[in-house]
Tab-separated table of all heavy atoms in Angstrom:
chain	number	residue	atom	x	y	z
N	232	ARG	N	21.728	123.337	114.406
N	232	ARG	CA	22.329	123.221	115.732
N	232	ARG	C	23.540	122.284	115.772
N	232	ARG	O	24.088	122.023	116.838
N	232	ARG	CB	21.286	122.835	116.786
N	232	ARG	CG	20.342	123.980	117.114
N	232	ARG	CD	19.467	123.652	118.302
N	232	ARG	NE	18.340	122.809	117.957
N	232	ARG	CZ	17.216	123.242	117.378
N	232	ARG	NH1	17.095	124.513	117.067
N	232	ARG	NH2	16.223	122.435	117.124
N	233	ARG	N	23.947	121.790	114.606
N	233	ARG	CA	25.152	120.982	114.541
N	233	ARG	C	26.377	121.894	114.413
N	233	ARG	O	26.280	123.023	113.920
N	233	ARG	CB	25.097	120.042	113.331
N	233	ARG	CG	23.949	119.042	113.379
N	233	ARG	CD	24.153	117.992	114.437
N	233	ARG	NE	25.341	117.177	114.169
N	233	ARG	CZ	25.886	116.335	115.016
N	233	ARG	NH1	25.357	116.191	116.240
N	233	ARG	NH2	26.949	115.632	114.692
N	234	PRO	N	27.563	121.447	114.877
N	234	PRO	CA	28.765	122.272	114.707
N	234	PRO	C	29.080	122.501	113.231
N	234	PRO	O	28.763	121.671	112.371
N	234	PRO	CB	29.855	121.427	115.374
N	234	PRO	CG	29.139	120.490	116.283
N	234	PRO	CD	27.817	120.218	115.630
N	235	ALA	N	29.686	123.631	112.954
N	235	ALA	CA	30.107	123.928	111.589
N	235	ALA	C	31.199	122.958	111.152
N	235	ALA	O	31.935	122.405	111.975
N	235	ALA	CB	30.618	125.362	111.497
N	236	ARG	N	31.283	122.739	109.840
N	236	ARG	CA	32.391	121.971	109.280
N	236	ARG	C	33.561	122.918	109.042
N	236	ARG	O	33.362	124.052	108.590
N	236	ARG	CB	31.979	121.312	107.970
N	236	ARG	CG	30.938	120.207	108.120
N	236	ARG	CD	30.459	119.752	106.755
N	236	ARG	NE	29.682	120.790	106.088
N	236	ARG	CZ	29.618	120.935	104.760
N	236	ARG	NH1	30.324	120.138	103.974
N	236	ARG	NH2	28.872	121.886	104.231
N	237	VAL	N	34.766	122.462	109.305
N	237	VAL	CA	35.947	123.309	109.161
N	237	VAL	C	36.999	122.573	108.338
N	237	VAL	O	37.425	121.476	108.699
N	237	VAL	CB	36.541	123.698	110.531
N	237	VAL	CG1	37.733	124.623	110.340
N	237	VAL	CG2	35.479	124.352	111.416
N	238	ASP	N	37.375	123.179	107.210
N	238	ASP	CA	38.469	122.656	106.391
N	238	ASP	C	39.700	123.517	106.634
N	238	ASP	O	39.613	124.749	106.664
N	238	ASP	CB	38.105	122.703	104.904
N	238	ASP	CG	36.986	121.736	104.546
N	238	ASP	OD1	36.871	120.695	105.225
N	238	ASP	OD2	36.227	122.019	103.601
N	239	VAL	N	40.847	122.880	106.812
N	239	VAL	CA	42.101	123.584	107.094
N	239	VAL	C	43.039	123.431	105.900
N	239	VAL	O	43.225	122.321	105.386
N	239	VAL	CB	42.779	123.020	108.358
N	239	VAL	CG1	44.075	123.779	108.653
N	239	VAL	CG2	41.836	123.105	109.549
N	240	ALA	N	43.624	124.556	105.456
N	240	ALA	CA	44.560	124.516	104.334
N	240	ALA	C	45.760	125.421	104.621
N	240	ALA	O	45.573	126.569	105.032
N	240	ALA	CB	43.866	124.957	103.050
N	241	PRO	N	46.973	124.898	104.424
N	241	PRO	CA	47.283	123.508	104.040
N	241	PRO	C	47.042	122.541	105.198
N	241	PRO	O	47.008	122.945	106.358
N	241	PRO	CB	48.772	123.577	103.674
N	241	PRO	CG	49.302	124.720	104.464
N	241	PRO	CD	48.195	125.722	104.547
N	242	ARG	N	46.890	121.280	104.845
N	242	ARG	CA	46.592	120.244	105.853
N	242	ARG	C	47.881	119.858	106.581
N	242	ARG	O	48.601	118.953	106.155
N	242	ARG	CB	45.939	119.038	105.205
N	242	ARG	CG	44.556	119.341	104.646
N	242	ARG	CD	43.920	118.090	104.052
N	242	ARG	NE	42.579	118.357	103.543
N	242	ARG	CZ	41.473	118.323	104.265
N	242	ARG	NH1	41.556	118.024	105.559
N	242	ARG	NH2	40.302	118.571	103.725
N	243	ILE	N	48.174	120.590	107.639
N	243	ILE	CA	49.388	120.377	108.429
N	243	ILE	C	48.977	120.279	109.895
N	243	ILE	O	48.136	121.053	110.366
N	243	ILE	CB	50.371	121.557	108.242
N	243	ILE	CG1	50.809	121.649	106.773
N	243	ILE	CG2	51.590	121.405	109.141
N	243	ILE	CD1	51.626	122.878	106.463
N	244	GLU	N	49.541	119.343	110.618
N	244	GLU	CA	49.206	119.170	112.031
N	244	GLU	C	49.987	120.180	112.870
N	244	GLU	O	50.977	119.847	113.532
N	244	GLU	CB	49.517	117.739	112.456
N	244	GLU	CG	48.635	116.700	111.774
N	244	GLU	CD	48.933	115.292	112.231
N	244	GLU	OE1	49.809	115.135	113.112
N	244	GLU	OE2	48.310	114.351	111.717
N	245	TYR	N	49.525	121.398	112.821
N	245	TYR	CA	50.211	122.473	113.549
N	245	TYR	C	49.302	123.045	114.641
N	245	TYR	O	49.671	123.119	115.800
N	245	TYR	CB	50.630	123.575	112.587
N	245	TYR	CG	51.485	124.646	113.224
N	245	TYR	CD1	52.844	124.431	113.429
N	245	TYR	CD2	50.946	125.860	113.630
N	245	TYR	CE1	53.646	125.398	114.025
N	245	TYR	CE2	51.723	126.835	114.224
N	245	TYR	CZ	53.080	126.607	114.420
N	245	TYR	OH	53.851	127.568	115.023
N	246	PHE	N	48.087	123.459	114.253
N	246	PHE	CA	47.112	123.953	115.222
N	246	PHE	C	46.187	122.821	115.658
N	246	PHE	O	45.888	121.913	114.879
N	246	PHE	CB	46.249	125.060	114.613
N	246	PHE	CG	46.956	126.373	114.428
N	246	PHE	CD1	47.105	126.925	113.167
N	246	PHE	CD2	47.455	127.080	115.518
N	246	PHE	CE1	47.738	128.143	112.989
N	246	PHE	CE2	48.093	128.294	115.349
N	246	PHE	CZ	48.241	128.832	114.075
Side-chain angles (χ1 to χ4, degrees):
R232 288 189 280 281
R233 298 290 297 169
R236 292 172 292 150
V237 182
D238 292 331
V239 181
R242 294 182 179 274
I243 298 172
E244 294 181 2
Y245 187 80
F246 287 119

